[in-house]
Amino acid sequence: MRRTSLTVLVLALGVFGIITTEMGMVGVLPQVSAELGVTPSAAGWLVGVFALVIAVSGPFTTLLASGVDRKKVLAAAIAVFAVSNAVYALTTQYEVMLAFRVVPALFHPVFFAVALATATRLVPAKDATRATTTVFGGVTVGFAFGVPLTSYLAEHVSLASAFWFGALVNLIAFLGILRFVPPTPVGQRVAYGAQLSVLKRSRMWLTIASVVLVFAAMFSVYGYFAEYLGQVTHMDGTWVSAMLMAFGIVMILGNLAFGSLLRRNLMRTVVAYPVLCLLVYVFLYAVGPLFAPMVLAVLVWGAVHSGGLIVSQSWLGRDAVEAPEFGNSLFISFSNLGITVGTTVGGWVMAEYGARQLAWTGVGFAVAALLAMALRLGLDRAGARQTPLADPDVQKLSGVRT
């Protein structure tokens, strides 16, 4: 049991390294622009191309890796992230850095999908949600500490030191995987057709739509966190940095809380999530110009924001139980699509109507997500009426008795 716990923690460390690599670039773009001699918009592609490659390639790269020993897949993927960070630290060529943003992005969904599936396989079924929550903890810790520390090193030491930090974290995760993750050869590999067959169900597409909308709701506002606090609440850079750190720390606690709620009742927690987002954004709009209340609002916002990852992954996982790794890759790809949609629409709203109206963008996406979930649950209720031995969670929500 102790070895299993260490294995799950190593997987969480790998996720932390990946998030630090992916999102840490956001905080060092000014230094990258200056040191590589490119425009800020060109430097921005180092972030945008990463998300775009994940969204487009995720399910396909995961399918291709589905026949390989899971330990080898995890080790190879995290090694690519370690090497890519080393390249960032050493190169002076923008084209080289851009290429090495594309390469790890191809491995990002593979690592996430396999890490989540591996963590749940290592523990008893009753502890699967706890294991998933621990792995997702790497995301929240990455936002809380990895991204700010990367930015701090670039600002106060050097740009190269920020990337060497990312290389070191991923190297440690690589060594941990070699030491603690057991070899897991693929026995009876699920055929590509069988894995792809999960996409033939209308309920899966409604679930995917709700995941896209949940992430659009999250990132249409969070994507402009600094602009909102700066333009609406009139916080200076020091306060914005402090709020980012506080937001990330509260995300850690929120992740644990949502994991506990999901273990108690998955369906109700999933449905409650967009409602909580809606309420938080109304709160943000109401207190936006007020400094002290906004500090409190940021803490509440961070706690709720953190739940989007584990809630959405658990929700989508129900429809891909026969192909969990492919299902996880769908989650990674379509959540990134949601981030792209949310930030695009949020940027347009901010340009046209001002930063304060961003909150209503989040409200709109949250309502749309709730509607998609309602349609999805309608299919469950119809199936429960036809099949006496339906999912117990669905029975509870729909009132079906067996």
Side-chain angles (χ1 to χ4, degrees):
M1 180 60 71
R2 182 174 180 273
R3 184 182 178 88
T4 297
S5 298
L6 286 172
T7 302
V8 174
L9 288 174
V10 164
L11 296 175
L13 178 63
V15 169
F16 170 81
I18 287 176
I19 289 298
T20 299
T21 302
E22 178 186 5
M23 303 306 299
M25 186 66 75
V26 173
V28 302
L29 286 181
Q31 291 88 346
V32 169
S33 178
E35 294 206 14
L36 300 189
V38 297
T39 64
S41 60
W45 268 102
L46 297 170
V47 176
V49 76
F50 201 105
L52 182 61
V53 170
I54 292 170
V56 172
S57 70
F60 306 106
T61 52
T62 303
L63 278 176
L64 291 173
S66 62
V68 183
D69 184 299
R70 316 325 283 149
K71 178 174 182 174
K72 292 179 180 178
V73 170
L74 290 167
I78 206 68
V80 168
F81 275 83
V83 170
S84 297
N85 274 281
V87 171
Y88 304 155
L90 295 170
T91 190
T92 57
Q93 300 295 317
Y94 170 76
E95 292 77 12
V96 172
M97 187 175 287
L98 184 63
F100 276 85
R101 291 296 283 177
V102 172
V103 173
L106 292 170
F107 287 84
H108 177 292
V110 178
F111 186 92
F112 263 86
V114 175
L116 288 166
T118 300
T120 56
R121 287 194 190 108
L122 289 171
V123 300
K126 64 183 178 62
D127 294 327
T129 300
R130 180 178 287 107
T132 303
T133 301
T134 301
V135 173
F136 270 123
V139 176
T140 53
V141 175
F143 274 101
F145 299 107
V147 174
L149 184 54
T150 299
S151 179
Y152 177 87
L153 289 171
E155 180 69 28
H156 298 281
V157 182
S158 69
L159 180 62
S161 69
F163 294 135
W164 284 122
F165 165 67
L168 177 62
V169 170
N170 285 289
L171 176 60
I172 294 171
F174 170 76
L175 296 174
I177 288 168
L178 294 183
R179 175 67 178 82
F180 294 108
V181 176
T184 313
V186 178
Q188 186 67 34
R189 186 179 73 177
V190 181
Y192 292 157
Q195 295 184 68
L196 289 168
S197 67
V198 302
L199 295 175
K200 295 179 179 179
R201 307 168 189 158
S202 57
R203 65 183 61 194
M204 170 59 88
W205 286 105
L206 283 171
T207 301
I208 286 172
S210 62
V211 168
V212 171
L213 291 166
V214 163
F215 273 80
M218 292 164 63
F219 283 88
S220 61
V221 187
Y222 176 76
Y224 302 95
F225 185 97
E227 286 83 353
Y228 192 87
L229 295 185
Q231 296 179 29
V232 179
T233 317
H234 305 297
M235 290 186 179
D236 60 22
T238 300
W239 268 100
V240 170
S241 297
M243 289 295 95
L244 274 170
M245 178 71 77
F247 188 96
I249 292 171
V250 172
M251 277 184 67
I252 298 173
L253 302 176
N255 182 63
L256 296 173
F258 275 100
S260 176
L261 291 171
L262 285 166
R263 288 193 295 275
R264 294 179 185 178
N265 194 307
L266 186 148
M267 299 298 291
R268 288 187 182 137
T269 304
V270 168
V271 173
Y273 186 77
V275 177
L276 290 173
C277 282
L278 188 156
L279 294 174
V280 165
Y281 292 143
V282 171
F283 185 31
L284 285 179
Y285 181 83
V287 304
L290 308 174
F291 197 99
M294 191 63 196
V295 172
L296 174 62
V298 166
L299 299 178
V300 176
W301 182 13
V304 171
H305 185 88
S306 66
L309 288 85
I310 182 67
V311 165
S312 297
Q313 189 274 336
S314 299
W315 175 235
L316 194 149
R318 292 176 67 252
D319 286 335
V321 290
E322 65 272 54
E325 291 174 6
F326 183 63
N328 287 332
S329 72
L330 291 173
F331 164 70
I332 299 301
S333 290
F334 283 101
S335 61
N336 274 273
L337 177 61
I339 291 171
T340 303
V341 170
T343 53
T344 300
V345 175
W348 176 80
V349 168
M350 186 171 66
E352 292 293 322
Y353 303 104
R356 192 178 183 194
Q357 307 308 319
L358 283 168
W360 296 115
T361 310
V363 167
F365 280 123
V367 170
L370 193 59
L371 291 174
M373 288 177 181
L375 290 172
R376 171 68 180 80
L377 291 174
L379 293 180
D380 275 345
R381 293 190 187 95
R385 284 193 290 271
Q386 297 171 15
T387 307
L389 297 178
D391 185 334
D393 278 326
V394 177
Q395 293 171 1
K396 289 177 185 176
L397 203 67
S398 60
V400 175
R401 296 287 186 268
T402 59

